[in-house]
Amino acid sequence: MTRPMSGLVIFDCDGVLVDSEPISLRCTTAALNSFGYPVDEDDVFDRFLGSSTASMVAAVEASLGRGLAPEALDDLRREILDAFGRELKAVPGVARAAERLDRPFCVASSSIPERIRYSLRITGLLPLFEPDIFSATMVVHGKPAPDLFLLAAKRMKAEPARCIVVEDSIHGARAGQAAGMTVLGFIGGSHIRGNVARERSHSEKLIQAGAAMVFDKLADLPELVREFSR
């Protein structure tokens, strides 16, 4: 029987590894309004950041009392990916931070596998994380349920209590806490940083959701991982 490794860092993808949230927020807000679900970008940020498309669609359909056309959702996915191809960049410091970690790491994201790999590929990060990439499509219940993080730990042969989750979303922080893992809340993405009110409010909500602390520079991550692993 293989012994569990001593520790593991689990990265969320959107808003932590790739600066995708401003693009997704913009495209999703426009699409939801076109579906007859009136929201602005702050609403989408507060309600759906970190949740899977399936979870978001279920909430919207329940509110509207009708289903959304599958082709409309396909159009939204294509629009987001097209925008990624033109605009998406890695969050500053990702590669250097990952290379300095003293333990294995992986990705566990609410996005579908194709989108995760596309995002990592066009930002040059895919070789750093492949093949240790886990998607909410691999479990029955996505974030805020702990299933995805527990799956990642199991596949990576790590004890949940020795895992550190790096998350920017409330759903993700709750999932990490429910999995019995240490959560570090990241607020360095451009969808949070620079907006003082949102940064303060989101930091407080991450702590309330279970994050042990919040930080805004990935350069600080290796030392934080060592500190929270003592």
Side-chain angles (χ1 to χ4, degrees):
M1 184 180 206
T2 304
R3 290 175 59 83
M5 62 179 63
S6 60
L8 173 70
V9 176
I10 305 176
F11 288 93
D12 178 41
C13 185
D14 295 301
V16 173
L17 300 178
V18 298
D19 202 16
S20 56
E21 296 297 8
I23 300 170
S24 297
L25 288 170
R26 183 184 74 224
C27 294
T28 301
T29 299
L32 292 180
N33 277 281
S34 73
F35 299 156
Y37 186 78
V39 286
D40 59 23
E41 289 191 17
D42 286 334
D43 294 327
V44 177
F45 179 95
D46 290 335
R47 297 180 197 178
F48 303 123
L49 183 72
S51 63
S52 66
T53 300
S55 297
M56 179 186 74
V57 168
V60 171
E61 289 180 337
S63 176
L64 293 176
R66 59 178 171 81
L68 301 180
E71 57 271 23
L73 298 175
D74 290 340
D75 289 343
L76 172 58
R77 292 188 184 98
R78 279 193 294 270
E79 183 180 349
I80 290 174
L81 292 180
D82 287 346
F84 280 6
R86 297 189 302 270
E87 305 173 39
L88 189 62
K89 298 185 184 308
V91 172
V94 170
R96 177 61 177 150
E99 289 165 355
R100 290 175 54 216
L101 290 174
D102 61 359
R103 67 206 62 212
F105 51 85
C106 66
V107 179
S109 168
S110 293
S111 294
I112 62 174
E114 295 80 7
R115 173 171 156 173
I116 301 169
R117 284 185 166 82
Y118 180 68
S119 299
L120 295 176
R121 184 180 301 112
I122 62 178
T123 54
L125 298 175
L126 185 60
L128 194 61
F129 293 95
E130 190 79 83
D132 302 318
I133 297 171
F134 304 96
S135 163
T137 60
M138 299 176 177
V139 294
V140 175
H141 302 292
K143 305 172 188 177
D147 304 32
L148 178 58
F149 289 143
L150 291 174
L151 173 68
K154 182 177 180 180
R155 294 277 185 89
M156 298 292 290
K157 299 181 173 59
E159 296 175 3
R162 296 187 175 213
C163 293
I164 291 178
V165 170
V166 185
E167 264 286 356
D168 69 313
S169 75
I170 308 305
H171 288 304
R174 287 176 177 153
Q177 183 187 53
M181 301 175 179
T182 298
V183 179
L184 302 181
F186 182 65
I187 57 169
S190 65
H191 61 301
I192 301 173
R193 201 169 185 186
N195 183 323
V196 176
R198 179 181 285 183
E199 186 173 330
R200 183 182 301 111
S201 172
H202 197 64
S203 296
E204 292 172 354
K205 289 177 181 177
L206 283 169
I207 296 295
Q208 292 167 3
M213 66 163 294
V214 297
F215 70 110
D216 63 4
K217 295 182 181 65
L218 286 176
D220 297 334
L221 179 62
E223 182 56 36
L224 292 174
V225 168
R226 286 189 287 271
E227 179 181 337
F228 279 91
S229 299
R230 290 171 187 163

PDB file of all heavy atoms in Angstrom, residues 17-18 88-91 94-96 99 116-130:
ATOM      1  N   LEU A  17      -4.594  30.958 -10.973  1.00  0.00           N
ATOM      2  CA  LEU A  17      -3.514  30.686 -11.927  1.00  0.00           C
ATOM      3  C   LEU A  17      -3.633  31.568 -13.166  1.00  0.00           C
ATOM      4  O   LEU A  17      -2.623  32.051 -13.689  1.00  0.00           O
ATOM      5  CB  LEU A  17      -3.543  29.214 -12.349  1.00  0.00           C
ATOM      6  CG  LEU A  17      -3.368  28.184 -11.231  1.00  0.00           C
ATOM      7  CD1 LEU A  17      -3.460  26.773 -11.799  1.00  0.00           C
ATOM      8  CD2 LEU A  17      -2.047  28.386 -10.509  1.00  0.00           C
ATOM      9  N   VAL A  18      -4.846  31.747 -13.640  1.00  0.00           N
ATOM     10  CA  VAL A  18      -5.075  32.580 -14.827  1.00  0.00           C
ATOM     11  C   VAL A  18      -6.034  33.707 -14.464  1.00  0.00           C
ATOM     12  O   VAL A  18      -6.979  33.509 -13.695  1.00  0.00           O
ATOM     13  CB  VAL A  18      -5.622  31.758 -16.014  1.00  0.00           C
ATOM     14  CG1 VAL A  18      -4.605  30.700 -16.432  1.00  0.00           C
ATOM     15  CG2 VAL A  18      -6.952  31.094 -15.689  1.00  0.00           C
ATOM     16  N   LEU A  88      -6.503  36.458 -22.428  1.00  0.00           N
ATOM     17  CA  LEU A  88      -6.143  35.791 -21.175  1.00  0.00           C
ATOM     18  C   LEU A  88      -4.641  35.816 -20.901  1.00  0.00           C
ATOM     19  O   LEU A  88      -3.827  35.556 -21.796  1.00  0.00           O
ATOM     20  CB  LEU A  88      -6.620  34.338 -21.195  1.00  0.00           C
ATOM     21  CG  LEU A  88      -6.491  33.581 -19.874  1.00  0.00           C
ATOM     22  CD1 LEU A  88      -7.347  34.221 -18.787  1.00  0.00           C
ATOM     23  CD2 LEU A  88      -6.879  32.116 -20.051  1.00  0.00           C
ATOM     24  N   LYS A  89      -4.299  36.085 -19.649  1.00  0.00           N
ATOM     25  CA  LYS A  89      -2.909  36.067 -19.195  1.00  0.00           C
ATOM     26  C   LYS A  89      -2.819  35.301 -17.878  1.00  0.00           C
ATOM     27  O   LYS A  89      -3.801  35.175 -17.149  1.00  0.00           O
ATOM     28  CB  LYS A  89      -2.380  37.486 -18.999  1.00  0.00           C
ATOM     29  CG  LYS A  89      -2.371  38.328 -20.263  1.00  0.00           C
ATOM     30  CD  LYS A  89      -1.723  39.674 -20.034  1.00  0.00           C
ATOM     31  CE  LYS A  89      -1.805  40.545 -21.288  1.00  0.00           C
ATOM     32  NZ  LYS A  89      -1.305  39.862 -22.491  1.00  0.00           N
ATOM     33  N   ALA A  90      -1.629  34.801 -17.585  1.00  0.00           N
ATOM     34  CA  ALA A  90      -1.394  34.151 -16.296  1.00  0.00           C
ATOM     35  C   ALA A  90      -1.379  35.200 -15.199  1.00  0.00           C
ATOM     36  O   ALA A  90      -1.022  36.360 -15.423  1.00  0.00           O
ATOM     37  CB  ALA A  90      -0.062  33.408 -16.328  1.00  0.00           C
ATOM     38  N   VAL A  91      -1.795  34.802 -14.005  1.00  0.00           N
ATOM     39  CA  VAL A  91      -1.646  35.676 -12.847  1.00  0.00           C
ATOM     40  C   VAL A  91      -0.149  35.835 -12.586  1.00  0.00           C
ATOM     41  O   VAL A  91       0.599  34.850 -12.616  1.00  0.00           O
ATOM     42  CB  VAL A  91      -2.354  35.082 -11.615  1.00  0.00           C
ATOM     43  CG1 VAL A  91      -2.028  35.883 -10.362  1.00  0.00           C
ATOM     44  CG2 VAL A  91      -3.863  35.043 -11.838  1.00  0.00           C
ATOM     45  N   VAL A  94       2.916  33.056 -11.034  1.00  0.00           N
ATOM     46  CA  VAL A  94       2.461  31.675 -10.884  1.00  0.00           C
ATOM     47  C   VAL A  94       3.603  30.679 -11.037  1.00  0.00           C
ATOM     48  O   VAL A  94       3.847  29.837 -10.168  1.00  0.00           O
ATOM     49  CB  VAL A  94       1.359  31.335 -11.910  1.00  0.00           C
ATOM     50  CG1 VAL A  94       1.081  29.834 -11.908  1.00  0.00           C
ATOM     51  CG2 VAL A  94       0.084  32.087 -11.613  1.00  0.00           C
ATOM     52  N   ALA A  95       4.290  30.748 -12.173  1.00  0.00           N
ATOM     53  CA  ALA A  95       5.310  29.739 -12.470  1.00  0.00           C
ATOM     54  C   ALA A  95       6.411  29.733 -11.417  1.00  0.00           C
ATOM     55  O   ALA A  95       6.814  28.674 -10.919  1.00  0.00           O
ATOM     56  CB  ALA A  95       5.886  29.975 -13.859  1.00  0.00           C
ATOM     57  N   ARG A  96       6.887  30.904 -11.058  1.00  0.00           N
ATOM     58  CA  ARG A  96       7.969  30.989 -10.076  1.00  0.00           C
ATOM     59  C   ARG A  96       7.512  30.449  -8.722  1.00  0.00           C
ATOM     60  O   ARG A  96       8.257  29.725  -8.049  1.00  0.00           O
ATOM     61  CB  ARG A  96       8.418  32.446  -9.938  1.00  0.00           C
ATOM     62  CG  ARG A  96       9.502  32.698  -8.897  1.00  0.00           C
ATOM     63  CD  ARG A  96      10.762  31.962  -9.208  1.00  0.00           C
ATOM     64  NE  ARG A  96      11.807  32.258  -8.250  1.00  0.00           N
ATOM     65  CZ  ARG A  96      12.768  31.407  -7.908  1.00  0.00           C
ATOM     66  NH1 ARG A  96      12.825  30.208  -8.464  1.00  0.00           N
ATOM     67  NH2 ARG A  96      13.692  31.758  -7.030  1.00  0.00           N
ATOM     68  N   GLU A  99       7.287  26.594  -8.845  1.00  0.00           N
ATOM     69  CA  GLU A  99       8.612  25.982  -8.889  1.00  0.00           C
ATOM     70  C   GLU A  99       9.308  26.016  -7.539  1.00  0.00           C
ATOM     71  O   GLU A  99      10.174  25.183  -7.257  1.00  0.00           O
ATOM     72  CB  GLU A  99       9.468  26.689  -9.945  1.00  0.00           C
ATOM     73  CG  GLU A  99       9.017  26.389 -11.372  1.00  0.00           C
ATOM     74  CD  GLU A  99       9.606  27.344 -12.386  1.00  0.00           C
ATOM     75  OE1 GLU A  99      10.306  28.317 -11.957  1.00  0.00           O
ATOM     76  OE2 GLU A  99       9.376  27.155 -13.590  1.00  0.00           O
ATOM     77  N   ILE A 116     -10.101  24.253 -18.674  1.00  0.00           N
ATOM     78  CA  ILE A 116      -8.932  24.345 -17.794  1.00  0.00           C
ATOM     79  C   ILE A 116      -7.658  24.213 -18.610  1.00  0.00           C
ATOM     80  O   ILE A 116      -6.729  25.032 -18.499  1.00  0.00           O
ATOM     81  CB  ILE A 116      -8.968  23.246 -16.712  1.00  0.00           C
ATOM     82  CG1 ILE A 116     -10.230  23.353 -15.855  1.00  0.00           C
ATOM     83  CG2 ILE A 116      -7.722  23.345 -15.827  1.00  0.00           C
ATOM     84  CD1 ILE A 116     -10.456  22.150 -14.954  1.00  0.00           C
ATOM     85  N   ARG A 117      -7.584  23.167 -19.437  1.00  0.00           N
ATOM     86  CA  ARG A 117      -6.364  22.929 -20.211  1.00  0.00           C
ATOM     87  C   ARG A 117      -6.132  24.018 -21.251  1.00  0.00           C
ATOM     88  O   ARG A 117      -4.995  24.413 -21.488  1.00  0.00           O
ATOM     89  CB  ARG A 117      -6.430  21.551 -20.868  1.00  0.00           C
ATOM     90  CG  ARG A 117      -6.176  20.428 -19.868  1.00  0.00           C
ATOM     91  CD  ARG A 117      -6.113  19.053 -20.513  1.00  0.00           C
ATOM     92  NE  ARG A 117      -5.551  18.098 -19.568  1.00  0.00           N
ATOM     93  CZ  ARG A 117      -6.251  17.491 -18.611  1.00  0.00           C
ATOM     94  NH1 ARG A 117      -7.546  17.738 -18.492  1.00  0.00           N
ATOM     95  NH2 ARG A 117      -5.666  16.645 -17.779  1.00  0.00           N
ATOM     96  N   TYR A 118      -7.194  24.520 -21.862  1.00  0.00           N
ATOM     97  CA  TYR A 118      -7.056  25.615 -22.829  1.00  0.00           C
ATOM     98  C   TYR A 118      -6.491  26.852 -22.143  1.00  0.00           C
ATOM     99  O   TYR A 118      -5.564  27.494 -22.648  1.00  0.00           O
ATOM    100  CB  TYR A 118      -8.404  25.923 -23.460  1.00  0.00           C
ATOM    101  CG  TYR A 118      -8.376  27.040 -24.480  1.00  0.00           C
ATOM    102  CD1 TYR A 118      -7.721  26.879 -25.693  1.00  0.00           C
ATOM    103  CD2 TYR A 118      -9.017  28.244 -24.229  1.00  0.00           C
ATOM    104  CE1 TYR A 118      -7.694  27.894 -26.635  1.00  0.00           C
ATOM    105  CE2 TYR A 118      -9.001  29.273 -25.157  1.00  0.00           C
ATOM    106  CZ  TYR A 118      -8.338  29.089 -26.357  1.00  0.00           C
ATOM    107  OH  TYR A 118      -8.304  30.114 -27.287  1.00  0.00           O
ATOM    108  N   SER A 119      -7.025  27.173 -20.967  1.00  0.00           N
ATOM    109  CA  SER A 119      -6.552  28.339 -20.217  1.00  0.00           C
ATOM    110  C   SER A 119      -5.075  28.200 -19.854  1.00  0.00           C
ATOM    111  O   SER A 119      -4.289  29.147 -20.000  1.00  0.00           O
ATOM    112  CB  SER A 119      -7.381  28.524 -18.935  1.00  0.00           C
ATOM    113  OG  SER A 119      -8.733  28.744 -19.230  1.00  0.00           O
ATOM    114  N   LEU A 120      -4.708  27.028 -19.381  1.00  0.00           N
ATOM    115  CA  LEU A 120      -3.311  26.804 -18.991  1.00  0.00           C
ATOM    116  C   LEU A 120      -2.396  26.766 -20.217  1.00  0.00           C
ATOM    117  O   LEU A 120      -1.253  27.230 -20.157  1.00  0.00           O
ATOM    118  CB  LEU A 120      -3.198  25.506 -18.197  1.00  0.00           C
ATOM    119  CG  LEU A 120      -3.921  25.477 -16.843  1.00  0.00           C
ATOM    120  CD1 LEU A 120      -3.806  24.098 -16.199  1.00  0.00           C
ATOM    121  CD2 LEU A 120      -3.370  26.552 -15.902  1.00  0.00           C
ATOM    122  N   ARG A 121      -2.906  26.223 -21.315  1.00  0.00           N
ATOM    123  CA  ARG A 121      -2.071  26.140 -22.515  1.00  0.00           C
ATOM    124  C   ARG A 121      -1.741  27.515 -23.077  1.00  0.00           C
ATOM    125  O   ARG A 121      -0.579  27.808 -23.376  1.00  0.00           O
ATOM    126  CB  ARG A 121      -2.779  25.304 -23.584  1.00  0.00           C
ATOM    127  CG  ARG A 121      -1.934  25.089 -24.849  1.00  0.00           C
ATOM    128  CD  ARG A 121      -2.676  24.253 -25.875  1.00  0.00           C
ATOM    129  NE  ARG A 121      -3.043  22.959 -25.346  1.00  0.00           N
ATOM    130  CZ  ARG A 121      -4.291  22.559 -25.105  1.00  0.00           C
ATOM    131  NH1 ARG A 121      -5.303  23.388 -25.371  1.00  0.00           N
ATOM    132  NH2 ARG A 121      -4.544  21.376 -24.618  1.00  0.00           N
ATOM    133  N   ILE A 122      -2.759  28.373 -23.220  1.00  0.00           N
ATOM    134  CA  ILE A 122      -2.499  29.655 -23.870  1.00  0.00           C
ATOM    135  C   ILE A 122      -1.729  30.627 -22.972  1.00  0.00           C
ATOM    136  O   ILE A 122      -1.174  31.608 -23.458  1.00  0.00           O
ATOM    137  CB  ILE A 122      -3.799  30.319 -24.381  1.00  0.00           C
ATOM    138  CG1 ILE A 122      -4.760  30.638 -23.236  1.00  0.00           C
ATOM    139  CG2 ILE A 122      -4.462  29.463 -25.420  1.00  0.00           C
ATOM    140  CD1 ILE A 122      -6.025  31.344 -23.692  1.00  0.00           C
ATOM    141  N   THR A 123      -1.677  30.328 -21.678  1.00  0.00           N
ATOM    142  CA  THR A 123      -0.879  31.155 -20.763  1.00  0.00           C
ATOM    143  C   THR A 123       0.496  30.537 -20.497  1.00  0.00           C
ATOM    144  O   THR A 123       1.271  31.078 -19.698  1.00  0.00           O
ATOM    145  CB  THR A 123      -1.611  31.357 -19.422  1.00  0.00           C
ATOM    146  OG1 THR A 123      -1.972  30.082 -18.877  1.00  0.00           O
ATOM    147  CG2 THR A 123      -2.858  32.210 -19.611  1.00  0.00           C
ATOM    148  N   GLY A 124       0.775  29.395 -21.120  1.00  0.00           N
ATOM    149  CA  GLY A 124       2.075  28.759 -20.981  1.00  0.00           C
ATOM    150  C   GLY A 124       2.259  27.949 -19.717  1.00  0.00           C
ATOM    151  O   GLY A 124       3.379  27.526 -19.407  1.00  0.00           O
ATOM    152  N   LEU A 125       1.183  27.693 -18.980  1.00  0.00           N
ATOM    153  CA  LEU A 125       1.284  27.022 -17.690  1.00  0.00           C
ATOM    154  C   LEU A 125       1.004  25.522 -17.747  1.00  0.00           C
ATOM    155  O   LEU A 125       1.258  24.811 -16.774  1.00  0.00           O
ATOM    156  CB  LEU A 125       0.321  27.658 -16.687  1.00  0.00           C
ATOM    157  CG  LEU A 125       0.551  29.133 -16.344  1.00  0.00           C
ATOM    158  CD1 LEU A 125      -0.573  29.643 -15.438  1.00  0.00           C
ATOM    159  CD2 LEU A 125       1.905  29.327 -15.674  1.00  0.00           C
ATOM    160  N   LEU A 126       0.478  25.028 -18.864  1.00  0.00           N
ATOM    161  CA  LEU A 126       0.052  23.635 -18.911  1.00  0.00           C
ATOM    162  C   LEU A 126       1.176  22.650 -18.573  1.00  0.00           C
ATOM    163  O   LEU A 126       0.946  21.711 -17.787  1.00  0.00           O
ATOM    164  CB  LEU A 126      -0.553  23.313 -20.278  1.00  0.00           C
ATOM    165  CG  LEU A 126      -1.158  21.912 -20.411  1.00  0.00           C
ATOM    166  CD1 LEU A 126      -2.286  21.709 -19.395  1.00  0.00           C
ATOM    167  CD2 LEU A 126      -1.688  21.694 -21.829  1.00  0.00           C
ATOM    168  N   PRO A 127       2.401  22.803 -19.112  1.00  0.00           N
ATOM    169  CA  PRO A 127       3.451  21.830 -18.772  1.00  0.00           C
ATOM    170  C   PRO A 127       3.773  21.778 -17.286  1.00  0.00           C
ATOM    171  O   PRO A 127       4.246  20.749 -16.792  1.00  0.00           O
ATOM    172  CB  PRO A 127       4.667  22.339 -19.573  1.00  0.00           C
ATOM    173  CG  PRO A 127       4.086  23.139 -20.688  1.00  0.00           C
ATOM    174  CD  PRO A 127       2.865  23.788 -20.106  1.00  0.00           C
ATOM    175  N   LEU A 128       3.485  22.852 -16.583  1.00  0.00           N
ATOM    176  CA  LEU A 128       3.775  22.912 -15.147  1.00  0.00           C
ATOM    177  C   LEU A 128       2.804  22.048 -14.336  1.00  0.00           C
ATOM    178  O   LEU A 128       3.161  21.509 -13.281  1.00  0.00           O
ATOM    179  CB  LEU A 128       3.697  24.366 -14.681  1.00  0.00           C
ATOM    180  CG  LEU A 128       4.260  24.756 -13.321  1.00  0.00           C
ATOM    181  CD1 LEU A 128       5.749  24.458 -13.247  1.00  0.00           C
ATOM    182  CD2 LEU A 128       4.012  26.244 -13.067  1.00  0.00           C
ATOM    183  N   PHE A 129       1.567  21.901 -14.827  1.00  0.00           N
ATOM    184  CA  PHE A 129       0.523  21.229 -14.053  1.00  0.00           C
ATOM    185  C   PHE A 129       0.064  19.890 -14.641  1.00  0.00           C
ATOM    186  O   PHE A 129      -0.462  19.051 -13.901  1.00  0.00           O
ATOM    187  CB  PHE A 129      -0.683  22.155 -13.896  1.00  0.00           C
ATOM    188  CG  PHE A 129      -0.403  23.350 -13.039  1.00  0.00           C
ATOM    189  CD1 PHE A 129      -0.031  24.557 -13.599  1.00  0.00           C
ATOM    190  CD2 PHE A 129      -0.494  23.263 -11.653  1.00  0.00           C
ATOM    191  CE1 PHE A 129       0.248  25.669 -12.809  1.00  0.00           C
ATOM    192  CE2 PHE A 129      -0.220  24.364 -10.852  1.00  0.00           C
ATOM    193  CZ  PHE A 129       0.152  25.560 -11.434  1.00  0.00           C
ATOM    194  N   GLU A 130       0.222  19.677 -15.908  1.00  0.00           N
ATOM    195  CA  GLU A 130      -0.179  18.422 -16.541  1.00  0.00           C
ATOM    196  C   GLU A 130       0.610  17.261 -15.951  1.00  0.00           C
ATOM    197  O   GLU A 130       1.826  17.387 -15.754  1.00  0.00           O
ATOM    198  CB  GLU A 130       0.077  18.532 -18.048  1.00  0.00           C
ATOM    199  CG  GLU A 130      -0.489  17.409 -18.887  1.00  0.00           C
ATOM    200  CD  GLU A 130      -1.981  17.565 -19.134  1.00  0.00           C
ATOM    201  OE1 GLU A 130      -2.375  18.301 -20.041  1.00  0.00           O
ATOM    202  OE2 GLU A 130      -2.737  16.923 -18.386  1.00  0.00           O
TER     203      GLU A 130
END
